[in-house]
Amino acid sequence: MKRRLWLTAAALAVTSTLALAAPESLLPPSFDRPAPGPAPRPAATPAPPAGTSAVVQPLPSRGANPGDEAQLPVKLPGNLPSLGELEKMDPDQLDALFGLKPKFDVPPGARRAMQDVGVLSEAEGGFPEMSLANQPAALVRAILSGTKRPLLSRWGHILVRRALASRLDAPQGMDPVEFAGLRAALLNRLGEAATARALVQDVDSANYDAALAAAALDAYLATGDLLGACPVAQLKADLLKTPTWQMTKSICRAFAGSGRDADRELDRALFYGLAPRIDVLLAQRFAGAAGETRREINIEWQGVNELNPWRVSLARALGVDIPDPLRQAAPQYDFSDVAIPAVSLTDRVTAADRAGARGVLSSQAMVDLYSQLWADPSADDTDKTRAGTLRDAYAARDTADRVAALRTLWGTGGGDYGAQVLTAYAAARLPVSQDLAGDAPQIVASMLAAGLDRNALQWGRVVAEGSAAWGLLALAQPNRATTVSSGAVSKYIDQDASEAQRKSKFLVAGLAGLGRLDAGTTAGLAGDLKINLARESVWSRKIDRAAALNDGALVALLAGLGMQGEGWDKMTPRHLFHIVRSLTQVGLEAEARMIAAEAVARA
């Protein structure tokens, strides 16, 4: 408000000076025009030192020559609005009108170039910077935009996240800002909001476009860090016209010290229905946390039929309970719950298994959450039951007790893949014993879920050739020098009780992609299982071509494009074959082995 009054006063003062004649003097004539006195004697000008020029730069005169214009302190626009229009403008509009808003929010020396935008350098495990620089922009854009659903494979998810987070140059013909926005938006869709937030923070606010701003706001909401969007919202206020962006600007204004202006804006939003009532009430409650105003905002969920990122993020940050029916109907927000520190530990642990199965959380991160819950004295004993079972799986003295705890966590049939990720290191602590050969498939699958392939291979000496555990080890074994015999694979097929023998089909596809079956054996086994690994499509030709060019990042992104879906029944053996073979060709054999083993374990 102070800024608005100052600008209005300045406009009045300037327009009055231009429009009115000079005011009449109120002094008596003798004071207004005093009698002339003796002329002052000019001061002696010292001679310049020897060897210097006598030319002195004259002081500029103001209005000395006819036609000179007085210098105004503020340069007014040619189409200055009326006083009424000025009163209705918000501070952002006034700043833009009078040219007071800076174009950059960082000094020139601290501004970052738009090359190598990302989080992981090649030295930190990322892909090389030029991986996509020579690829057509249309192809990369189609891959990033076309990956719209979660990925089937946990290891595929981890690989795609690594590619998206790498410090990469934009493809030829693509604006680096667009490239960053596409990557951040895909990370958000994959549930990787924390990585998306780190990515968008690698771009200066002045360089944002609308798509990058929208992806950044989604990332900040999903991580419970709405105020992280304030630098962009304040510098480029008109970048988006969405209701959430407008309310975000008001919240940022409140935390910048203009709480009363923010209250007025949000009151108008509520009155005119800028957004649903619950969204505006949450915004008012959040803005009130800035402390300038003392308004009591009651949050009522009556009449609210669904959740959205805005409601989940602000409710979690404010400690507002979300009704259980709404929360249970939206499991996609489990990934947000895991990433928001303000969420209760019980809710974070509940969401951890789903996040671990997806690849958002590592096995160690999941164990850390369960350990915190176990050590929390305020937690209910019922909520600690699973944490206590996990503790037994790791620390029980008797092997039988540890195995019993593992079986409880895995459930009937071992279908809970999140639990297998959770127990990977506990499974690795078990002694290799013939007595446990019956549990070997789940023990091996659990270890491979966290990449513990060397621990898993120790079970090779107690499992029978052609058994379920043998199939996983045949895929997971690194640096295999010989091919797998057709007889061993045939034994596996004969014992396979999975639906439509999907495990056997994935085993053959994985072994063939890794080069562990010769051509004749592959053709014979594929014929027996009635699968065609040789059939091509537009996608298979693209990923095969990327592998031939040794472009690991492009192969990873194309693999992600081919692994979309909610269940492994959506994956075909042909897709798995091309993914595993292409990854192996570009030096990503470890990822290829883990994806193939996961496919067989989860089929």
Side-chain angles (χ1 to χ4, degrees), residues 143-150 182 184-192 358:
I143 295 171
L144 297 178
S145 301
T147 308
K148 299 181 180 297
R149 291 173 293 170
L182 288 170
L186 177 51
L187 284 167
N188 285 329
R189 292 195 295 273
L190 294 178
E192 290 288 350
R358 175 73 63 84

Side-chain angles (χ1 to χ4, degrees), residues 362-394:
S362 68
S363 177
Q364 292 178 332
M366 296 173 70
V367 172
D368 286 345
L369 282 174
Y370 275 89
S371 300
Q372 291 177 46
L373 180 62
W374 175 257
D376 186 1
S378 63
D380 189 88
D381 290 342
T382 304
D383 295 332
K384 289 185 176 184
T385 301
R386 189 172 173 85
T389 306
L390 179 63
R391 184 177 183 275
D392 291 340
Y394 274 91

Side-chain angles (χ1 to χ4, degrees), residues 105-257:
D105 57 350
V106 291
R111 295 173 194 165
R112 294 167 291 186
M114 289 302 298
Q115 287 82 27
D116 309 337
V117 173
V119 181
L120 288 175
S121 67
E122 186 175 1
E124 296 169 323
F127 286 91
E129 298 169 358
M130 298 294 291
S131 294
L132 301 176
N134 295 321
Q135 298 298 333
L139 173 62
V140 177
R141 185 181 295 111
I143 295 171
L144 297 178
S145 301
T147 308
K148 299 181 180 297
R149 291 173 293 170
L151 306 188
L152 300 168
S153 168
R154 165 183 165 80
W155 284 104
H157 176 104
I158 293 170
L159 176 63
V160 171
R161 176 181 63 199
R162 175 182 158 200
L164 295 173
S166 296
R167 293 192 176 276
L168 299 174
D169 284 344
Q172 53 180 298
M174 180 182 290
D175 189 308
V177 177
E178 180 191 2
F179 184 46
L182 288 170
R183 291 157 63 192
L186 177 51
L187 284 167
N188 285 329
R189 292 195 295 273
L190 294 178
E192 290 288 350
T195 307
R197 180 180 65 178
L199 177 65
V200 300
Q201 288 174 340
D202 200 41
V203 180
D204 286 343
S205 303
N207 294 325
Y208 272 55
D209 63 5
L212 182 57
L217 182 58
D218 289 342
Y220 286 121
L221 286 173
T223 54
D225 184 22
L226 178 60
L227 297 182
C230 288
V232 180
Q234 291 176 318
L235 187 69
K236 308 190 83 171
D238 296 330
L239 205 53
L240 295 173
K241 303 298 184 184
T242 60
T244 53
W245 186 256
Q246 303 303 317
M247 291 188 292
T248 298
K249 289 194 305 179
S250 299
I251 290 173
C252 292
R253 185 162 294 128
F255 280 85

Side-chain angles (χ1 to χ4, degrees), residues 1 10 44 61 97 207 230 259 269 273 284 289 407 414 491 504 522 579 587 595:
M1 177 59 73
S61 59
L97 177 65
N207 294 325
C230 288
Q284 288 180 321
R407 290 170 180 162
K491 288 182 182 178
S504 297
T522 299
I579 289 170
I595 289 173

Side-chain angles (χ1 to χ4, degrees), residues 41-60:
R41 298 178 61 183
T45 303
T52 61
S53 173
V55 178
V56 179
Q57 176 68 37
L59 295 175

